[in-house]
Each structure stands twice: as structure tokens, then as C-alpha cells.
Amino acid sequence: MIRVLLADDEHLIRGAVAALLGLEPDLEVVAEVGRGDEVAAAVAEHDPDVAVLDIDMPGANGLTVAETLRDRGARCSVCILTSFGRPGYLRRAMAAGVRGFVAKDAPTEELAAAIRKVHGGGRYLDAELAASAMAAGDNPLTGREREILRLTGAGTETARIAALLHLSEGTVRNYLSTAMAKLGVPNRLAAVRAARDMGWI
């Protein structure tokens, strides 16, 4: 039996997926959690073979959770389940050691196939998500630009960003201008939106 942990904050969806996977003769859902910050403890307690993580969860998103599991040396494989086909998510997931990436509206048989494949040491990538990531190209933003856009998107003022990052306000504005130019947008809020839409922040 392949032991599966499900993490999704939408209770109805999580329950439906668990019930459908439970019909598969070789899969057993051993744990369900609704928050990203509950995953590591559940993995430690239940020792699943595969963790199926939603990207958008309270507490911590699925990509952050995947990075945490990797850093802690968890033995389970990770499969991301998402309704967000953002190209940057796929690249970040791969960098975090995620072995499966499945669209949330995929049939249960596809998710089951992905779980089996990643458990066997392979990779499973939704074809449309992979094609979108390839078409979008590489993330043009530097780490510092992404950090400043993340803070801007959280409503942090320029002066506060400068203090947090030990930069001058002028330098912060320069980073924002460069990011706006790279993304081809007229202002910082549009830059935040564009970077989020691509999954780059």
C-alpha cells in the first residue's frame, strides 16, 4: 500500500479526494490536514510515502511546505495539487524537489497515477502546466527584486522596506523601477500583480 497524506484547506475537496483515492486498491490516505503549517508534524507522525499538497493554504503555502520537508530530510515524495497554472510555481516546485504537479481539476485517476509514479521515483507533470512554464521562459527578476515586490504586495511602505533590508529608499525605488521595466508594467502594484500571476513571488 502507498501511504498518502492530503493537505488542502478546502474541506469538501479534501474529503472528496480522500474518498476517491480510498477506492484505489493500492492507496491509503493516512492523514488529512487543512493548513500548511500542520503538514510537517503530520508527516512526522504518520510517515506517508507521498504528501499531496495544495499550493494555496493558510499557515504556509504548498511550495513553502515542500521546501520545509526537503530541508528536514523527509522521506516522502511530494505531489503538488493546484488550481493555479502559474509558470513560476512549477519551476519553484521542481527546485524544492517536488516530483508531481497535477491540476486540481484533473480526474482522480490522473492524481492516483501521479501518486504511483512519484512513489516509484519518477516525475509526473501536468502537460498543460509544463507547456505554460516553458512558454513563459525564465523568471527575469532577481532575488532582491522579488523580495521587494513581496513586501510591496503586503502593503509595506518604501521607507519600511528600506529599513528592513538595510537599503536606502532610493535603492528600493530603483529595484522597483527595474522590476517594472522587466515586467513591462506602468507601476509597482501592476508589477506585484504580474509577478504573482506568473508565480514568481
Side-chain angles (χ1 to χ4, degrees):
M1 291 290 276
I2 300 172
R3 296 166 56 80
V4 179
L5 174 143
L6 284 180
D8 191 318
D9 64 318
E10 296 181 63
H11 185 74
L12 282 174
I13 290 176
R14 189 175 73 239
V17 171
L20 290 166
L21 289 179
L23 298 175
E24 301 288 329
D26 57 339
L27 303 180
E28 179 188 6
V29 177
V30 295
E32 297 178 46
V33 298
R35 294 177 55 89
D37 52 7
E38 296 171 344
V39 174
V43 165
E45 181 181 349
H46 298 281
D47 191 31
D49 299 308
V50 178
V52 177
L53 310 176
D54 184 24
I55 278 195
D56 194 24
M57 291 185 287
N61 71 46
L63 295 177
T64 301
V65 172
E67 289 162 350
T68 300
L69 293 176
R70 175 201 61 197
D71 295 344
R72 293 187 180 181
R75 72 166 195 90
C76 64
S77 299
V78 174
C79 186
I80 292 285
L81 191 61
T82 181
S83 54
F84 302 107
R86 295 172 178 164
Y89 282 171
L90 180 56
R91 290 173 182 270
R92 187 174 159 200
M94 300 287 281
V98 171
R99 306 199 65 81
F101 211 90
V102 182
K104 216 169 191 176
D105 59 358
T108 310
E109 302 80 51
E110 186 175 336
L111 176 58
I115 291 168
R116 293 183 187 104
K117 186 134 187 203
V118 301
H119 178 251
R123 288 192 187 280
Y124 189 97
L125 299 178
D126 177 275
E128 284 190 33
L129 294 176
S132 295
M134 289 173 65
D138 291 329
N139 180 352
L141 302 171
T142 65
R144 183 63 91 188
E145 288 162 357
R146 290 196 306 272
E147 190 173 20
I148 289 171
L149 284 176
R150 264 194 295 271
L151 288 166
T152 300
T156 311
E157 297 291 334
T158 302
R160 180 67 181 141
I161 294 172
L164 285 170
L165 302 181
H166 308 291
L167 301 169
S168 72
E169 289 184 47
T171 300
V172 170
R173 283 192 287 271
N174 286 342
Y175 275 119
L176 285 167
S177 295
T178 305
M180 285 155 46
K182 287 179 178 178
L183 296 170
V185 294
N187 58 56
R188 59 184 64 188
L189 292 180
V192 169
R193 198 175 309 116
R196 278 184 180 154
D197 286 347
M198 294 301 288
W200 290 334
I201 61 170

